[in-house]
Structure formats: C-alpha cells, structure tokens
Amino acid sequence: MSDERSDLAAAGALGALDASDSAELAVQVARDPMLGAQLDDYRATVSMLEASVAREGPSHDLFAGILAEIEPQPAASAVERSDGGTRRWSWSRALPAFAVGAAATAAVFAIALALDSPGSPGTADAVAAVAGTPDFAAVQGEARLYGSDQPGGVVRLDLADVPAAPDGSHYEVWVLRPAAGGAMEAVGVFDSDGSHVELELGLPGAGDYVAVDISVEPDAVSPDHSGTSLAGGTFERQTT
Amino acid sequence: MPEPADDALLVRRIDDGDADALRLIYERYGGIVFGMTYRLLGDRQAAEECTQDVFVSVWRTARTYEPERARVSTWLFTIARNRAIDATRRRAARPVDPHEEIWSADEAPDTADIVSAADEATRVAAALAELPDAQRETLSLAYFDGLSHTEIAERLGLPVGTVKGRIRLALDRLRVLAPRYALGTETEA
C-alpha cells in the first residue's frame, strides 16, 4: 500500500482531514478492504490515546498561574511572621476562608485543600491530642472532628512546630474509622514553612473515627501511606 | 533509553531557579500532563489545578530528579499520576455540593480503578513523549488543537504531504511504543 494512501488513513483516523480528503478516503476504503483494515488499526491507536489523554488543551494562561505560584508573592498576599520572616501562601486558589482569617492574625502558615468552609463549626464531636513521633517530637497540637456522624463532616487540625517537609516530600493527613475495614483513609495534603499549621479537611464519610495520622510522603511515589509518620493522635468522643 | 539531553539540562536550570527552563518543559509536556489529568479527573478546572500543582512540584523538587533513574518525561508523568490520584481521593472525601459536578463519596471510583487508569495514562503519555519532536508537534496540533492537516501545514509552513506523513509516522510509532511503556519498564522517579 502506498505511503500516500496510508497517510490519508492515518490523518482520517485522527480526524485531521478536510472534507474533500475525507470523502476521498471513504471512496478508497470502499474499493479496498485492506485500506479499510489499516484505517481501523489507526483508529484503534487513536482510541488508545483518547482513553488515556483527553483531546483538550489547557487554558492559555495556565502557565501564568504556575509562575504566580513559584515567584515571590506581592506584599499584599504575604503574612509577616512574628520572628520577622515572610510566609508565602501556596496553592492560593485552594485556600479556605478560615485560614485566611487566621493568617491575618499573623500566626498561621497553612496550605490547605479545596474545601468549602462550613462557617461556624459548632461543638466538636471528638478531639485528639496530636503528638509528634520520636523523629518529630516537637510537633504538638489538636485534631477536632465536626459533623463526623454524617456526610459532609470535617476534621480541623491545629498544629504547632511543624517543620518544613523534607525536600521532595509533603505531609498527608489520614483518618481511621472501623467502617473502612482498618485502612487509613487520606483526606488531604499540606506543606509547612516550619510554623503553625491550621487545616480543615473533608472527611471521607460518616463514621466513628478513632485516630488521625500525619505522614511524610515523597512527592512522586505510591499513593499508599509511606510508613513514616510526622504525628498522630487518638480521638476521644466529647460528651454533650 | 535515550534521554533528550536538553530535558535533563532544563531540570538542572530549574533547580537553579530558572523560570524560563520551567516554561520550556511546560511547553513540551504541559499539554500531555493536562490531557492525562483531564482524562483521569474528568473536570477541566480540576485538571488545570492538578497540572499547576505538577509543575510547581517540578519547580520545588527539581533537585531530587535523578537522570540515571528515569527520563524527565517519565519523572514528570509519575508526579502527574500521583497528583491525579491524590486529587481524586480528595474529591471523594469532600462534602458534596449539589451545584458542583463532582463525585460524591458513594459514586467515587474505586481506588484500584483510579490507580489502574492512572498507570495506563502514564504509559501512553510516556509513549507520546518519546515521539521525535517534529512528529509530536504535528500530532499535538491535530490531537489537542483539532487542526486539520491543511491548517497544520499553514501553521508550520510545511507541505501538506509532510504533515500527513508525520501524522502517519507518529501513529505507527505510538502503536509500537505504547505497549513497551507498561509501568515498571522504566524506573520511577
């Protein structure tokens, strides 16, 4: 089969032919079953592509957003630390409102995930005293569950002395509930600049949560728990 | 495993704080990263946020890239894979907003399914990345931008026959390459 006819079949499978060439391809395929088979092969390859990589391009300004993340932030979006250093928000599009308020009081650095803050949290269902593991003994704080007995519950973390995650890694928050069959469930990731961290993260569902764990996760490996924990704690139900 | 020499050089420049080098890596692979995260997350905004996270991670962790372990593209797509998996799990854990087209916890795909789909996307993306630059550029204009071969010829200033030939060669090569990129044939970064 000539390269020219194969070229036509390949471009046709990709949907890159003009109307006249598409019509010409249809005529040739009707005359030649072998060309039809080749067209099917190319279509299978395109289908393989489409199943894994969407035929969509990113917005033209996406790289500008990346640059905004990596370049020093303007003074208006920076928060002065009590020791005189500067904290910079990252993943700013995902910053929950409650964290912004806390930042304005000049004591918080947090990177939080996209989440609609429910406003007034009411009374916590359960509270866990969070303590660092031996390698991170300075870490301390608290985790509180709100609305955990129904869909839409959240866990709020308030941690002090959280060091910056080691190069090439980040922190991930996990919760444990018997309904999940004993498996820890990841609820979000964050980083720190070595300061106070406040986070609010959605729970994976209603349940009787018994523990919280914060792991150290390499940026480019398995989604499973790394086995290295920064801190953790056990929830105690609050009596009403 | 041939490594485009300038990819590794660009990562070294990124580690030195060169944003232009990050732009070049983005121009080369950003479309593929977005395409794979869009397919995995099924949502343009989520895919853009994930793609942004991937390149911010590249900026912050360029020092950890080890050229002897994996191609830059493989390293990049592995980061994208993991970020997409994380994003899927986070979305499943979020409170359901009836005005937002996201999965509720009950509808969320099983983790094993997501991981499997992400592995497949990584494999196909790696095969795309290994195409010669001219073939990848031509294929991308047709695939991502929806241009006809005539429009691509005008855009690149090439004869139409050359464009059609590149498309055929690219698809022929992808058909051979993709099965060779089963995850694990290269060392993950």
Side-chain angles (χ1 to χ4, degrees), chain A residues 146-158:
Chain A
Y146 296 94
S148 60
D149 58 348
Q150 56 194 340
V154 298
V155 56
R156 290 189 171 189
L157 288 169
D158 184 350

Side-chain angles (χ1 to χ4, degrees), chain A residues 7 16 18 21 41-42 49-50 53-57 59 63 69 90-91 93 113 172 203 219-221 223, chain B residues 23 34-35 38-39 44 48 52-53 60-61 82 89-90 93 95 120 143 148-150 168 172 175 189:
Chain A
D7 289 352
D18 296 327
D21 280 333
D41 283 346
Y42 284 129
L49 267 180
E50 290 174 337
V53 180
R55 293 186 78 155
E56 295 278 348
S59 301
F63 190 74
E69 289 283 336
S90 292
W91 302 345
R93 286 194 291 179
L113 305 170
E172 187 154 18
L203 292 167
D219 286 337
V221 293
Chain B
R23 180 189 301 276
F34 174 78
Y38 192 173
R39 177 60 72 230
R44 167 171 284 276
E48 293 208 335
Q52 182 164 325
D53 283 350
R60 291 175 176 160
T61 65
N82 293 336
R89 294 193 312 192
R90 288 199 301 269
E120 176 70 6
Y143 190 78
S148 71
H149 62 295
T150 306
R168 173 178 57 81
D172 284 343
R175 189 166 44 185

Side-chain angles (χ1 to χ4, degrees), chain B residues 57-134:
Chain B
S57 179
V58 166
W59 176 261
R60 291 175 176 160
T61 65
R63 184 164 300 176
T64 67
Y65 171 65
E66 299 177 48
E68 65 276 11
R69 295 186 64 196
R71 299 164 63 90
V72 168
S73 56
T74 303
W75 177 62
L76 185 64
F77 298 146
T78 302
I79 295 172
R81 165 194 180 275
N82 293 336
R83 291 301 166 108
I85 291 170
D86 285 346
T88 303
R89 294 193 312 192
R90 288 199 301 269
R91 290 202 313 179
R94 285 177 58 186
V96 178
D97 179 345
H99 302 295
E100 198 175 353
E101 292 182 0
I102 60 173
W103 291 308
S104 69
D106 291 341
E107 296 167 335
D110 181 77
T111 299
D113 292 341
I114 290 297
V115 171
S116 174
D119 287 348
E120 176 70 6
T122 306
R123 179 175 70 82
V124 172
L128 266 175
E130 197 180 317
L131 292 176
D133 287 348

Side-chain angles (χ1 to χ4, degrees), chain B residues 147-168:
Chain B
L147 300 187
S148 71
H149 62 295
T150 306
E151 292 168 327
I152 295 169
E154 289 173 0
R155 174 82 64 92
L156 300 179
L158 294 169
V160 170
T162 301
V163 169
K164 284 195 284 191
R166 285 183 182 176
I167 288 173
R168 173 178 57 81

